[in-house]
Amino acid sequence: MIITLKDGSQKEYAESKSVYEIALDISEGLARAACAGEVDGEVVDLRTVVEKDCEVSILTANDEKGLAALRHTASHVLAEAVKNLYPEAKLAIGPSIDNGFYYDFDHESFSREELDALEKEMKKIIKKGAKIERYTLPREEAIKFMEEKGEPYKVELIKDLPEGEEISFYSQGDFVDLCAGPHLMNTKGVKAFKLTSSSGAYWRGDEKNKMLSRIYGTAFSKKDELNEYLAQMEEAKKRDHNKLGREMELFTTVDVIGQGLPLIMPKGVIILKELQRWVEDLEDNEWGYVRTKTPLMAKSDLYKISGHWDHYKEGMFVLGDEEKDKEVYALRPMTCPFQYYVYKATQHSYRDLPIRYGETSTLFRNEDSGEMHGLTRVRQFTISEGHLIMRPDQMVEEFKGCMALAKHCLETLGVEEDVTYHLSKWDPDNKEKYIGEPEVWEETQEHIRQILTELNIPFVEDVGEAAFYGPKVDINAKNVYGKEDTMITIQWDALLAEQFDMYYIDENGEKKRPGIIHRTAMGCYERTLAWLIEKYAGLFPTWLCPEQVRVLPISEKYGEYAEKVQAQLKKNGIRSSVDNRSEKIGYKIREARLQKIPYMLVVGAKEEEEQVVSVRSRYLGDEGQKSLDAFMDAVCREIRTKEIRKIEVDAEGKRIEN
């Protein structure tokens, strides 16, 4: 057989070889570093035997898929350590994830001290360097094996596997776990790891199931890579919106109100109000939108027409019982069907189109409890929602316009370099999830593909991520921990106009179906606030800051002049306050910096006499004395243009070295 390697070179063998043996034949060093293999594009275990001509790549920890195999092995080492220290614990699942691995256990929660003890036990296991071996068992034997071990979650997993599915196990010394792999050849390959946290997680992500204890960890092939990652995580914790947003008094949550229902505090409201006013003015004044206001709930009849009742009911908050109540209502998870009836209230000619409806919409989605996190995953949220209704020949240009508006919003917020574009497609192998015919899906997906290509926007294609009624462009961003969320969505809909009997009168006086684009200009306001908190570590651009200027009198004697300065600032629309406390000026300056206020105006005898202010900023530090008019002109221009100035000074007032 002929094996083609990643660099295009070939090796010929007279008999079958395992991936590990091929790596060893290439070089001993590569075999030592190998974590997994890739055969004709499929990631496989190093023990996989190759028996025919194919392409083979040897994956090391420098490869994403190879590192995943290393981390998967680390999760098994963790599981063995838990069973050693807590024999009564039951094993659930333990996959690798983007930034490490986790393992779920039916056991009481783990403290930091217990995690430290588990790390020590893991080091002992790794030091032994047990050989990791793979074997399979017939279905009934596998079930019996795990029943005898007292592992009910493993038994359930085996029983849920399709008939005829290969059931594989991996052993490392006396420890055995049900697993599809791949894994390293022995435990010594886990050279650098850290258990980072512990939390609760429902079995199989279903809140109806038992709450398990999940241990998160990460692993690398080198100690310095681990240390670099841990340093990044420390920085991430400082920027984590869930922590920083509460410290800055932007939002809070309360158990008796409920998960995913944040309380936006006055400072947070200022930021959201600025964002909302900006987006609405953009849409209405520059992009030709007209505004609607629609109910927060509707009868189930509406959602049955749209298809949401059949395809999305589990994600909705339903009010009432269909079997008992004459009318059942649901809080809206989207605004589209409401706006369709705004359109249908008037007959439209082809000359009226496109019509662009915009609404600042409060929506409700019944997210799983385990998914709730700060402002990024909530059950009530507000979005910059819009639906464009047009002739089919206008669809491409209007879709491009939606992309341009989204790009403008990203650029203004300074986050355009942080996003990735995804063409979210239907899954032809799972047709029951969708409405419409396959040819419609393929045609609409091709339109979006061509638009992205024409706009020179790099994108990836995600099968199965489309909405049930159409493909879309998802513009995604990662949080400080690397988890990706969708920030903006633009969706091509060639189906719902039929569902709602929407039409326009064409030039021949005949009824025709319009096309529809669902889109957000900036997406969910709460999620955007979380994004901006983490992006700027709370040091927002001046136009978004809850407090833009703080006036600091050197002593109480200059309080009156400070109040006059603030009155002028407010007259010019600059959000400001006066710190009239009888504290030393150095203390006032430090506190204003810690509260992330962009500008401080220090006033004393000289400033009052000359009718000026001494300016300190997080951009340049001490900027010296300026007339109040000159300062206000500059700040008002910065606010009006939404300028993002480069920050030169940290919270302690020290100059940042670039």
Side-chain angles (χ1 to χ4, degrees):
M1 63 179 178
I2 297 175
I3 303 299
T4 304
L5 302 175
K6 185 164 58 175
D7 62 2
S9 63
Q10 294 183 331
K11 282 188 170 289
E12 188 171 349
Y13 299 102
E15 68 286 326
S16 59
K17 295 275 186 184
S18 70
V19 174
Y20 179 76
E21 287 171 333
I22 294 171
L24 192 60
D25 186 46
I26 297 170
S27 80
E28 289 187 10
L30 180 61
R32 283 195 299 272
C35 297
E38 194 166 17
V39 177
D40 286 340
E42 180 184 353
V43 178
V44 299
D45 195 270
L46 291 169
R47 301 154 191 80
T48 300
V49 176
V50 179
E51 298 177 323
K52 61 182 179 65
D53 295 355
C54 60
E55 295 182 359
V56 174
S57 294
I58 309 301
L59 303 176
T60 70
N62 292 326
D63 304 295
E64 183 179 333
K65 295 171 183 176
L67 183 58
L70 184 154
R71 288 169 169 172
H72 196 177
T73 301
S75 79
H76 277 222
V77 173
L78 167 61
E80 181 179 353
V82 168
K83 292 296 283 186
N84 288 350
L85 298 186
Y86 309 99
E88 73 286 357
K90 305 301 179 187
L91 303 176
I93 57 172
S96 65
I97 53 178
D98 284 348
N99 57 0
F101 61 90
Y102 70 78
Y103 210 114
D104 290 344
F105 304 93
D106 189 347
H107 185 268
E108 61 190 33
S109 60
F110 295 91
S111 66
R112 182 66 250 179
E113 291 74 17
E114 288 169 318
L115 294 184
D116 293 341
L118 285 168
E119 285 183 0
K120 290 180 181 178
E121 185 66 20
M122 288 174 71
K123 289 176 182 177
K124 292 178 185 177
I125 295 167
I126 292 167
K127 188 175 181 180
K128 288 179 182 177
K131 185 179 180 182
I132 300 174
E133 297 181 287
R134 180 183 186 274
Y135 64 91
T136 62
L137 287 176
R139 186 184 187 85
E140 293 307 316
E141 285 186 37
I143 292 172
K144 183 180 179 183
F145 178 66
M146 279 301 173
E147 284 177 340
E148 290 174 350
K149 280 189 163 291
E151 298 291 356
Y153 299 98
K154 300 295 183 181
V155 172
E156 182 179 329
L157 291 171
I158 296 170
K159 287 181 177 179
D160 284 351
L161 290 172
E163 289 288 343
E165 185 89 358
E166 183 178 70
I167 301 171
S168 58
F169 296 82
Y170 281 83
S171 66
Q172 51 197 48
D174 295 331
F175 178 77
V176 180
D177 201 356
L178 171 74
C179 188
H183 284 285
L184 305 183
M185 299 299 285
N186 63 70
T187 59
K188 279 193 174 179
V190 183
K191 299 184 184 300
F193 71 93
K194 180 70 179 175
L195 300 182
T196 52
S197 64
S198 176
S199 66
Y202 291 109
W203 169 234
R204 292 190 153 181
D206 188 340
E207 61 184 6
K208 296 175 184 176
N209 291 334
K210 186 171 184 179
M211 176 72 79
L212 306 178
S213 291
R214 175 173 294 178
I215 296 177
Y216 285 99
T218 192
F220 295 86
S221 62
K222 298 176 182 176
K223 189 74 173 176
D224 57 347
E225 291 175 346
L226 173 65
N227 291 338
E228 182 181 350
Y229 171 81
L230 294 176
Q232 290 173 352
M233 287 303 98
E234 284 303 310
E235 178 61 26
K237 287 177 185 177
K238 296 176 186 176
R239 289 176 175 261
D240 185 345
H241 85 276
N242 210 13
K243 174 178 180 290
L244 189 53
R246 295 169 196 271
E247 291 174 352
M248 294 181 68
E249 299 179 1
L250 301 178
F251 76 97
T252 189
T253 53
V254 182
D255 287 343
V256 296
I257 292 174
Q259 276 189 301
L261 299 170
L263 300 175
I264 309 299
M265 299 174 74
K267 292 179 182 178
V269 169
I270 290 172
I271 299 175
L272 293 181
K273 184 173 65 176
E274 287 292 329
L275 290 170
Q276 181 180 328
R277 286 176 174 173
W278 165 57
V279 170
E280 288 181 351
D281 286 347
L282 265 181
E283 291 177 340
D284 300 353
N285 301 334
E286 299 182 34
W287 293 82
Y289 283 74
V290 290
R291 206 139 289 279
T292 65
K293 185 173 176 58
T294 56
L296 299 180
M297 67 177 75
K299 294 196 296 185
S300 60
D301 306 51
L302 179 71
Y303 305 116
K304 288 174 182 176
I305 296 171
S306 68
H308 286 90
W309 203 253
D310 292 330
H311 295 273
Y312 197 74
K313 185 179 176 183
E314 288 186 0
M316 297 166 65
F317 288 102
V318 177
L319 309 176
D321 187 324
E322 286 187 287
E323 295 182 3
K324 299 177 182 177
D325 301 319
K326 186 176 180 181
E327 291 184 341
V328 174
Y329 286 76
L331 299 177
R332 64 180 185 186
M334 81 308 293
T335 309
C336 42
F338 298 86
Q339 290 191 333
Y340 297 163
Y341 279 100
V342 174
Y343 176 83
K344 283 165 63 70
T346 307
Q347 182 166 288
H348 299 280
S349 158
Y350 70 97
R351 294 189 183 91
D352 300 330
L353 304 183
I355 295 175
R356 307 179 186 97
Y357 293 118
E359 183 166 338
T360 302
S361 308
T362 298
L363 306 179
F364 306 86
R365 295 184 184 171
N366 191 11
E367 300 278 6
D368 290 337
S369 296
E371 294 294 317
M372 298 297 104
H373 178 69
L375 298 176
T376 58
R377 189 72 66 174
V378 291
R379 287 175 168 156
Q380 176 183 309
F381 56 94
T382 303
I383 67 172
S384 56
E385 194 165 21
H387 296 89
L388 292 77
I389 301 169
M390 69 217 76
R391 304 189 311 266
D393 64 284
Q394 297 172 320
M395 286 284 285
V396 169
E397 285 307 309
E398 288 299 315
F399 202 95
K400 288 180 182 177
C402 293
M403 294 290 295
L405 174 55
K407 191 171 188 295
H408 173 77
C409 290
L410 294 170
E411 288 173 347
T412 303
L413 294 174
V415 294
E416 72 278 8
E417 294 181 356
D418 302 332
V419 301
T420 55
Y421 291 80
H422 298 250
L423 168 50
S424 296
K425 307 189 299 183
W426 80 316
D427 181 357
D429 295 328
N430 208 353
K431 293 187 179 71
E432 67 276 4
K433 286 176 57 180
Y434 310 94
I435 61 175
E437 297 302 317
E439 55 269 21
V440 175
W441 281 91
E442 295 302 327
E443 180 184 350
T444 53
Q445 287 172 178
E446 182 57 29
H447 279 306
I448 297 176
R449 189 179 290 113
Q450 289 179 4
I451 289 169
L452 291 168
T453 301
E454 184 180 331
L455 295 175
N456 294 316
I457 295 175
F459 65 96
V460 296
E461 300 192 11
D462 297 333
V463 174
E465 293 300 315
F468 68 85
Y469 50 87
K472 55 183 176 171
V473 171
D474 284 324
I475 303 176
N476 295 355
K478 292 182 178 180
N479 68 13
V480 289
Y481 298 110
K483 184 180 182 300
E484 194 168 67
D485 286 304
T486 297
M487 310 308 298
I488 296 173
T489 293
I490 303 167
Q491 184 171 344
W492 188 299
D493 176 5
L495 298 170
L496 288 185
E498 181 77 27
Q499 302 276 100
F500 283 88
D501 190 27
M502 298 164 66
Y503 65 88
Y504 64 94
I505 305 301
D506 73 3
E507 58 270 31
N508 299 317
E510 297 179 356
K511 290 182 177 181
K512 291 292 176 67
R513 297 292 183 208
I516 302 170
I517 294 174
H518 309 240
R519 48 99 278 179
T520 54
M522 191 189 62
C524 168
Y525 285 98
E526 290 84 355
R527 186 174 288 180
T528 299
L529 176 56
W531 189 13
L532 294 175
I533 291 169
E534 295 186 352
K535 166 73 176 181
Y536 293 106
L539 298 168
F540 303 110
T542 300
W543 72 280
L544 285 175
C545 287
E547 185 177 350
Q548 294 160 329
V549 179
R550 183 169 293 179
V551 186
L552 308 176
I554 289 176
S555 71
E556 294 177 4
K557 288 192 296 183
Y558 310 105
E560 185 177 342
Y561 179 57
E563 296 290 349
K564 288 181 181 178
V565 168
Q566 191 208 15
Q568 288 300 307
L569 294 170
K570 286 193 169 184
K571 188 176 179 180
N572 282 271
I574 299 170
R575 293 188 289 272
S576 59
S577 70
V578 177
D579 187 346
N580 270 322
R581 296 174 301 168
S582 56
E583 300 283 357
K584 292 183 177 179
I585 190 64
Y587 178 85
K588 292 182 180 181
I589 290 171
R590 282 194 300 277
E591 190 159 280
R593 283 178 179 146
L594 290 172
Q595 292 181 18
K596 307 187 189 306
I597 297 165
Y599 292 99
M600 292 157 278
L601 301 182
V602 179
V603 294
K606 188 174 182 182
E607 286 79 15
E608 182 175 20
E609 181 182 342
E610 299 179 10
Q611 294 293 289
V612 295
V613 291
S614 291
V615 180
R616 289 176 176 267
S617 76
R618 66 183 181 208
Y619 307 111
L620 298 175
D622 188 349
E623 297 188 21
Q625 289 186 344
K626 297 181 182 180
S627 72
L628 183 58
D629 286 343
F631 170 77
M632 289 192 300
D633 285 348
V635 172
C636 287
R637 188 185 316 112
E638 181 185 338
I639 293 169
R640 184 177 65 255
T641 61
K642 298 175 175 56
E643 180 183 357
I644 300 174
R645 294 187 65 184
K646 186 177 180 182
I647 294 175
E648 302 282 356
V649 178
D650 65 16
E652 295 296 329
K654 298 175 183 175
R655 190 165 296 278
I656 298 171
E657 298 296 332
N658 296 313

